[in-house]
Amino acid sequence: MPEMPEVQGLVDFLGERATGLTVTKVSVANIAALKTYDPPIDAITGAQVTGAFRHGKFIDLETDAGAHLIFHLAKAGWLRWYEQLPATVIRPGRTPIALRVGFDDGSGFDLTEAGSKKSLAYYAARSPADVPGIARLGPDPLDQSFTRETLAGLLAGRRTQIKGVLRDQSIVAGIGNAYSDEILHAAKMSPYALAAGLTDAEIDRLYAATRQTLTDAVAAASGKPPADLKDAKRRGMAVHGRRGEICPVCGDEVRSVFFADNSLEYCPTCQTGGKILADRRLSRLLK
Ligand SMILES: [Zn+2]
């Protein structure tokens, strides 16, 4: 799943490549992924792209027609860019393509989604704030105004596990399963630590780890074409998706905790004082 750094990479690429171009074609291939009807998505046909922006994990293509094309790639979605957009006919229901957008210089992109569970979403909106998922977003951790005190305020009083707090888009925007694993590893903190129970020193570490992990990942993603972003993400991971491999910090073995539909990774020596966390999928079955 693309998270903030990959989404920022896509936004930088689109801003560079598509700003100033005129939209000549909008082909809706998966109508269920189109979440709005007013303004109609055709409102952007003939409009000029004026910029690309990121809101959490949402991508916002702004046009001069007073309409934005906004999309969220969800778990298995991606953007495929073409210097020369194929002229092939898209057959709805038989393609991973959810939306095709073409520009006046012959370039364009597809939004694609792998797998049978479809959750990619796109919107035509007069303002980004009209998209409910954007209106609900918490502060962006790379925003200049996101200070250590901002983070402390978000954690205060929450008797929930820090892993879930970091992933909750309404608390802090843009972080998902992968980067929350990486941030907690860098902060040397158990994913099960309670947000409200963190000491001042732990909040310091968590704040520094959040900023550093995301800043490094955005720098690694920036300037890369969409096709290279997934590999760049994988390469940058110290523990996420690396079960059984060696922790690059301490040499211990990276472990997983499995849940019904995903897993988290952590290093026992770095994060839990050597304790192996119980497998949640198994313990649920045994209950
Ligand atoms: Zn370690």
Side-chain angles (χ1 to χ4, degrees):
M1 172 194 229
E3 297 179 30
M4 175 221 275
E6 297 75 49
V7 170
Q8 187 65 51
L10 291 173
V11 162
D12 291 348
F13 177 87
L14 281 176
E16 177 95 1
R17 191 59 188 76
T19 300
L21 298 181
T22 298
V23 178
T24 51
K25 175 180 188 166
V26 179
S27 304
V28 173
N30 177 10
I31 187 76
L34 174 60
K35 304 300 180 190
T36 51
Y37 59 91
D38 179 34
I41 193 153
D42 288 334
I44 66 166
T45 307
Q48 194 175 55
V49 176
T50 49
F53 306 93
R54 181 179 65 77
H55 313 277
K57 295 185 237 174
F58 288 84
I59 295 171
D60 168 10
L61 208 58
E62 181 194 64
T63 74
D64 66 356
H68 299 242
L69 172 66
I70 294 171
F71 47 95
H72 188 285
L73 296 167
K75 208 174 166 113
W78 197 243
L79 181 146
R80 190 190 301 155
W81 177 265
Y82 298 96
E83 289 303 322
Q84 193 61 48
L85 197 64
T88 45
V89 177
I90 304 169
R91 298 185 200 285
R94 295 181 177 194
T95 166
I97 300 170
L99 179 74
R100 171 165 289 177
V101 175
F103 299 111
D104 58 340
D105 68 348
S107 67
F109 64 85
D110 287 337
L111 299 185
T112 63
E113 188 172 28
S116 55
K117 196 177 161 220
K118 301 295 186 192
S119 44
L120 182 149
Y122 53 93
Y123 312 76
R126 290 185 184 85
S127 158
D130 293 343
V131 174
I134 294 179
R136 272 198 303 269
L137 286 175
D140 192 289
L142 287 190
D143 198 280
Q144 290 231 316
S145 65
F146 191 95
T147 64
R148 188 241 180 238
E149 296 320 307
T150 312
L151 178 64
L154 295 172
L155 301 175
R158 285 187 205 278
R159 307 227 22 101
T160 46
Q161 291 167 349
I162 188 65
K163 169 83 180 171
V165 169
L166 290 176
R167 290 184 64 184
D168 185 333
Q169 300 302 297
S170 68
I171 301 174
V172 51
I175 301 170
N177 193 34
Y179 286 99
S180 56
D181 277 356
E182 293 300 304
I183 289 166
L184 290 168
H185 177 253
K188 299 192 181 299
M189 199 169 285
S190 168
Y192 294 168
L194 292 185
L198 299 187
T199 64
D200 282 349
E202 285 171 329
I203 295 174
D204 288 346
R205 287 210 313 270
L206 183 62
Y207 178 73
T210 301
R211 296 279 282 207
Q212 194 63 50
T213 300
L214 295 175
T215 300
D216 290 351
V218 166
S222 184
K224 290 208 166 54
D228 295 348
L229 285 170
K230 286 186 200 175
D231 277 345
K233 177 184 179 186
R234 233 172 271 129
R235 272 198 303 275
M237 295 286 149
V239 289
H240 184 76
R242 298 201 180 276
R243 178 168 64 103
E245 296 182 32
I246 296 303
C247 168
V249 173
C250 74
D252 193 1
E253 183 185 336
V254 173
R255 305 277 181 159
S256 289
V257 180
F258 288 97
F259 299 89
D261 58 355
N262 64 6
S263 67
L264 67 78
E265 275 81 45
Y266 70 103
C267 168
T269 296
C270 289
Q271 294 176 256
T272 59
K275 184 170 175 269
I276 306 295
L277 300 174
D279 187 330
R280 292 305 166 105
R281 186 182 52 182
L282 259 181
S283 51
R284 189 173 305 161
L285 285 173
L286 291 173
K287 216 175 350 184

